Amino acid sequence: MSFESFEDAFLFYKKYAGCVGFPIKKNRKRGTTGKDFCCLLEGKHNTKVKDGDRKTSKTSKRDGCKAMVCAREARGGGRVFFTRIAFEHNHKLNPTPSMTKRMRAHKVEDPSVMNLIDTMHASQVPHPNVMRVLRSVAGGVENLHLTERDVQNR
C-alpha cells in the first residue's frame, strides 16, 4: 500500500489500531524521509533513582511492546509506504469499540461538539446538565466519544 502523505499513513494505522484494540503514538522521525508509528506501550520506563529511593511514585504504561510500523517516503518525494511492520503485542488488546473509543489516541474531537461544550461552560450550565445534553445529542452514552473527565477538563 502507498499513501499520499505521512498523515494519511498515520490515519490508516490509527484506524487499524482502533479495530484491533490498542493505542498508538507517533514515535520518532527517521531523517527527513521516515517516521515510526508504534503502540503506546512501546519501550520501557527509565526509573530515576536517587540514593536508593525512587524520585517519583508515578507508574508508567510502557511495557516493552514491539508492535510498530516504519513509514518512508519514496525516493524523489511523493508517495509514502510502510517498510517494516511488526504485529506482536505483549499485552492484552481491547477490540471492543466501547473501550477503544475512550483511548486517548482514538478520541474524536468534533469541533461542533467542542463549541457546544464551550458555549454551555460560558453560560455556566452545571456539569451534569452538560453531560445530559451531550448524551442526548449523541443518541446515548455508548455513542459519546468523550468521558465526563474530558468535558470537565475542557
Side-chain angles (χ1 to χ4, degrees), residues 25-89:
K25 65 180 180 176
K26 292 179 182 178
N27 195 23
R28 57 189 157 257
K29 282 186 168 183
R30 300 222 179 236
T32 58
T33 61
K35 292 184 183 181
D36 292 350
F37 311 128
C38 64
C39 179
L40 190 66
L41 282 74
E42 174 263 344
K44 287 285 187 184
H45 180 68
N46 294 331
T47 305
K48 294 180 178 151
V49 178
K50 187 176 182 181
D51 299 330
D53 294 330
R54 286 185 74 180
K55 197 171 187 179
T56 63
S57 60
K58 197 175 193 180
T59 59
S60 174
K61 292 181 183 180
R62 296 172 68 176
D63 196 25
C65 184
K66 302 287 185 196
M68 56 101 63
V69 295
C70 296
R72 299 284 182 264
E73 191 172 28
R75 289 186 181 145
R79 308 291 291 179
V80 173
F81 56 95
F82 293 146
T83 58
R84 188 172 58 151
I85 303 171
F87 293 110
E88 302 83 31
H89 292 273

Side-chain angles (χ1 to χ4, degrees), residues 69-136:
V69 295
C70 296
R72 299 284 182 264
E73 191 172 28
R75 289 186 181 145
R79 308 291 291 179
V80 173
F81 56 95
F82 293 146
T83 58
R84 188 172 58 151
I85 303 171
F87 293 110
E88 302 83 31
H89 292 273
N90 63 350
H91 55 89
K92 184 181 172 196
L93 301 175
N94 297 312
T96 59
S98 63
M99 291 297 291
T100 55
K101 73 180 180 184
R102 288 181 170 43
M103 291 178 184
R104 183 177 178 203
H106 300 293
K107 286 187 181 176
V108 178
E109 288 193 0
D110 184 14
S112 61
V113 172
M114 293 301 145
N115 278 340
L116 179 63
I117 292 170
D118 291 340
T119 303
M120 287 192 282
H121 281 174
S123 301
Q124 298 179 346
V125 175
H127 178 70
N129 294 349
V130 172
M131 290 307 297
R132 197 172 300 120
V133 168
L134 290 176
R135 283 191 291 269
S136 68

